[in-house]
Amino acid sequence: MKPMTTSPKGLFIKTYGCQMNVYDSERMADVLKPLGFVEVDSPEKAQLIVLNTCHIREKATEKVFSELGQIRRLKDEGDGDITIAVAGCVAQAEGEEIIRRQPAVDIVVGPQSYHKLPEMLAKTSRSIKDRLETDFAVADKFGAFSKIRDVKGPSAFLSVQEGCDKFCTFCVVPYTRGAEYSRSAADILTEAEGLVGQGVCEIVLVGQNVNAWHGVSGSVGEGGRRDQTEWDLGRLIRRLGQIDGLKRLRYTTSHPRDMNDSLITAHREVDSLAPFLHLPVQSGSDAILKAMNRGHSVTDYLHIIDRVRRARPDMSFASDFIVGFPGETDADFEGTLSLVREVGYSQSYAFKYSPRPGTPASDMDEEVEEAVKEERLSRLLTEISRQSRAFNLTMVGSTLQVLFTRRGKSEGQALGYSPHMQPVHVDGAEALIGRLCEVRVIAATGTSLSGRLLEETSSGRADFIEART
Ligand code: SAH
Ligand code: SF4
Ligand code: F3S
């Protein structure tokens, strides 16, 4: 590892896993900028390559080691001036084992230590101690990130909460991200206002259990005194909803146990809060939910969905499911299918259970055979796709507000997202990337919508813009 200078250097960050990692990758780029690092779009152009990794399933972890093998070749074939850093949850879980398994790795840095990257890069020592940073000091991390971010588009993630205390028996997150930590409301508001000031019109609040967020208001009142009122996520969303120019708010991912009245009613009261909720249930069997230590029953979950729907009738829902958890019987799995049919999701994710080292479920008996897992996954995915398609088809003929975020596949086309997180393609709208526009939906597939531009909401123009369709 060579010492870093301030002349411009290429930085390539590859991000795996969840939205927390996407946010962290952006913040790493911010932290490295003052050292002269400029983001590049391929590892070949980079002097510093960062893999921001995910440990959630075995496949995710193995992907990292195969990627490292490829990057190692770049380092061997080049002039040696390439630094390889492994960040994220694999870094936290495997620590120095990564350097042992792939000696080309220079730095291993866990999710709570990214602010220490400049210091680590400056060290010339090759000792493992100097190349490894996996402390759990999450307050330091947010404190050290600069308040002003380099915004890349109209939509931005804002991390409000880290870590997890729920300890679902299958999950590595409590071990890789540590205990639950909530940032202060004042900090979050400053960051949100800074983002909107730079042109962001959609903010996605992210956290491993985002709806467990709580904190003191921290706002400064008369006489310079700080308000010590305790806020929950519903209250924070109401406050964020008052920021001028912030047109759309989302939050992800939520836990059923933390869906309180304040958050549910925010869906009725805050116009900019999107009518979409990702609320993973994992299984539709009470016995499996108990073995997973989810802390709620199927009935509890359905009751929450019902309350949210009553607060906001056009609400759409997404979930995550695990099939083949140890001991899952055919009847348990049928329970999952029947829950899916009862809720009617707009989209969902389903995974085969993957035993993770150190988690209680990895020691459980009654492993489900791979072929059975496969079969259940395929049946569940068929039902999920059927529902997504049906949901998307209900949108044809309606008008939706679409936030265009990037170019589409064909010439002149723009891709955006509806309030329900559906991808929407609009031909001839490329010039509108970065804007929130009214779109008439003209067609739907199982995975996306296509539409015609009606009105450019963000500029208040009401004229009809006929687009090529
Ligand atoms: N905090 C979120 C989810 C975090 S992980 C929550 O509580 O819902 C994202 C998803 O990965 C989980 O919802 C779960 O469906 C899946 N997952 C986590 N551990 C897994 C494992 N060991 N095997 C298979 N899927 C897993
Ligand atoms: Fe993992 Fe459960 Fe925590 Fe979600 S709530 S991060 S699934 S332990
Ligand atoms: Fe993966 Fe870590 Fe997120 S394990 S899902 S990157 S919290």
Side-chain angles (χ1 to χ4, degrees):
M1 180 165 55
K2 293 190 178 176
M4 293 288 157
T5 62
T6 49
S7 57
K9 280 173 183 284
L11 165 67
F12 179 76
I13 307 184
K14 181 152 184 177
T15 309
Y16 303 82
C18 63
Q19 293 93 339
M20 307 298 299
N21 270 9
V22 176
Y23 176 85
D24 283 346
S25 290
E26 287 177 10
R27 303 319 306 267
M28 276 192 261
D30 290 343
V31 163
L32 291 166
K33 220 176 182 181
L35 271 74
F37 283 106
V38 180
E39 277 192 85
V40 291
D41 56 11
S42 79
E44 287 79 13
K45 297 179 194 158
Q47 276 78 54
L48 173 58
I49 300 173
V50 180
L51 298 188
N52 195 6
T53 62
C54 174
H55 197 51
I56 202 83
R57 285 169 288 275
E58 192 183 353
K59 256 196 198 146
T61 305
E62 283 315 308
K63 224 188 268 170
V64 173
F65 285 100
S66 73
E67 183 80 24
L68 280 174
Q70 312 228 347
I71 293 173
R72 187 215 173 113
R73 239 168 285 146
L74 268 183
K75 192 169 181 171
D76 291 346
E77 287 160 12
D79 61 5
D81 193 13
I82 294 180
T83 300
I84 303 177
V86 177
C89 292
V90 178
Q92 189 66 43
E94 306 259 325
E96 57 182 275
E97 182 58 30
I98 297 173
I99 300 178
R100 253 181 240 120
R101 212 170 138 183
Q102 181 48 272
V105 171
D106 298 289
I107 285 175
V108 174
V109 58
Q112 264 47 278
S113 306
Y114 299 147
H115 54 292
K116 295 187 185 158
L117 266 171
E119 197 186 309
M120 293 178 81
L121 288 165
K123 284 183 184 152
T124 50
S125 144
R126 299 279 308 172
S127 81
I128 296 257
K129 188 176 131 291
D130 285 333
R131 295 157 65 195
L132 185 75
E133 197 61 74
T134 50
D135 276 357
F136 270 130
V138 63
D140 294 355
K141 165 181 170 176
F142 287 114
F145 280 160
S146 67
K147 298 279 180 277
I148 298 299
R149 292 170 53 183
D150 193 11
V151 167
K152 293 205 179 70
S155 176
F157 287 144
L158 199 170
S159 175
V160 300
Q161 183 276 337
E162 276 250 22
C164 181
D165 296 339
K166 300 278 192 297
F167 289 95
C168 300
T169 52
F170 52 81
C171 184
V172 290
V173 171
Y175 312 98
T176 61
R177 296 276 174 166
E180 258 173 43
Y181 170 84
S182 292
R183 288 176 76 186
S184 80
D187 239 33
I188 295 165
L189 285 170
T190 307
E191 191 169 329
E193 276 158 4
L195 288 168
V196 175
Q198 289 184 74
V200 164
C201 58
E202 175 185 76
I203 288 181
V204 187
L205 306 176
V206 295
Q208 264 88 24
N209 278 304
V210 72
N211 57 344
W213 180 87
H214 60 97
V216 288
S217 138
S219 57
V220 181
E222 269 177 49
R225 251 180 300 132
R226 283 197 177 268
D227 178 5
Q228 295 300 312
T229 320
E230 182 79 7
W231 282 16
D232 58 16
L233 190 69
R235 181 82 193 264
L236 180 69
I237 285 173
R238 282 178 182 81
R239 175 63 188 83
L240 289 166
Q242 293 167 1
I243 298 177
D244 250 1
L246 181 54
K247 299 200 168 69
R248 199 190 270 171
L249 260 169
R250 309 178 184 283
Y251 59 96
T252 195
T253 302
S254 299
H255 193 288
R257 262 156 65 192
D258 296 314
M259 281 310 294
N260 64 8
D261 277 341
S262 160
L263 183 54
I264 292 175
T265 52
H267 277 283
R268 177 165 47 222
E269 291 164 8
V270 182
D271 289 342
S272 53
L273 186 57
F276 172 76
L277 176 62
H278 185 186
L279 191 66
V281 64
Q282 314 298 352
S283 167
S285 148
D286 281 342
I288 296 297
L289 288 176
K290 189 156 189 282
M292 285 176 164
N293 190 33
R294 291 289 290 180
H296 63 82
S297 65
V298 173
T299 311
D300 295 335
Y301 181 82
L302 291 173
H303 185 55
I304 295 164
I305 299 278
D306 192 48
R307 279 160 63 210
V308 180
R309 267 198 180 125
R310 270 188 278 132
R312 178 93 204 227
D314 64 338
M315 197 79 182
S316 59
F317 296 90
S319 177
D320 297 348
F321 296 94
I322 294 178
V323 297
F325 185 82
E328 186 188 66
T329 62
D330 284 343
D332 292 323
F333 176 66
E334 291 303 327
T336 300
L337 282 178
S338 96
L339 178 143
V340 171
R341 288 189 199 108
E342 182 156 356
V343 174
Y345 291 99
S346 62
Q347 48 181 280
S348 280
Y349 304 87
F351 311 100
K352 284 187 285 181
Y353 168 69
S354 165
R356 306 307 291 129
T359 58
S362 66
D363 292 330
M364 289 180 186
D365 302 328
E366 297 184 78
E367 240 180 84
V368 174
E369 269 175 47
E370 185 60 25
V372 176
K373 283 187 191 170
E374 281 288 353
E375 202 246 345
R376 288 180 187 166
L377 182 68
S378 139
R379 285 182 62 200
L380 182 54
L381 287 175
T382 304
E383 181 57 26
I384 288 171
S385 309
R386 198 193 59 72
Q387 292 197 342
S388 301
R389 196 180 150 72
F391 179 75
N392 288 349
L393 281 169
T394 63
M395 299 280 146
V396 176
S398 68
T399 302
L400 295 174
Q401 291 211 334
V402 174
L403 179 61
F404 290 113
T405 51
R406 58 176 191 272
R407 281 190 188 154
K409 278 201 184 117
S410 57
E411 179 81 24
Q413 191 185 59
L415 175 69
Y417 287 87
S418 77
H420 302 282
M421 274 300 278
Q422 297 148 296
V424 186
H425 306 273
V426 178
D427 283 342
E430 196 180 327
L432 298 173
I433 291 172
R435 308 264 183 87
L436 192 67
C437 304
E438 300 255 286
V439 168
R440 171 74 43 83
V441 180
I442 52 175
T445 69
T447 50
S448 68
L449 306 175
S450 49
R452 195 171 59 195
L453 211 57
L454 281 182
E455 183 191 330
E456 195 181 327
T457 313
S458 54
S459 69
R461 274 169 49 196
D463 45 328
F464 188 93
I465 305 164
E466 185 69 58
R468 286 181 296 127
T469 51

Coordinates of all heavy atoms in Angstrom, one line a residue, residues 95 114 415:
G95 N -13.4 -9.9 9.2 CA -12.2 -9.2 9.7 C -11.0 -9.6 8.9 O -10.9 -9.7 7.7
Y114 N -16.0 4.1 8.5 CA -15.6 4.7 7.2 C -14.9 6.1 7.3 O -14.1 6.4 6.4 CB -16.8 4.8 6.3 CG -17.4 3.5 6.0 CD1 -18.8 3.3 5.8 CD2 -16.6 2.3 5.9 CE1 -19.3 2.0 5.5 CE2 -17.1 1.1 5.7 CZ -18.5 0.9 5.5 OH -19.0 -0.3 5.2
L415 N -36.4 7.0 -17.4 CA -36.9 6.0 -16.5 C -37.2 6.8 -15.2 O -36.3 7.5 -14.7 CB -35.9 4.9 -16.3 CG -36.3 3.9 -15.2 CD1 -37.5 3.1 -15.7 CD2 -35.2 2.9 -14.9

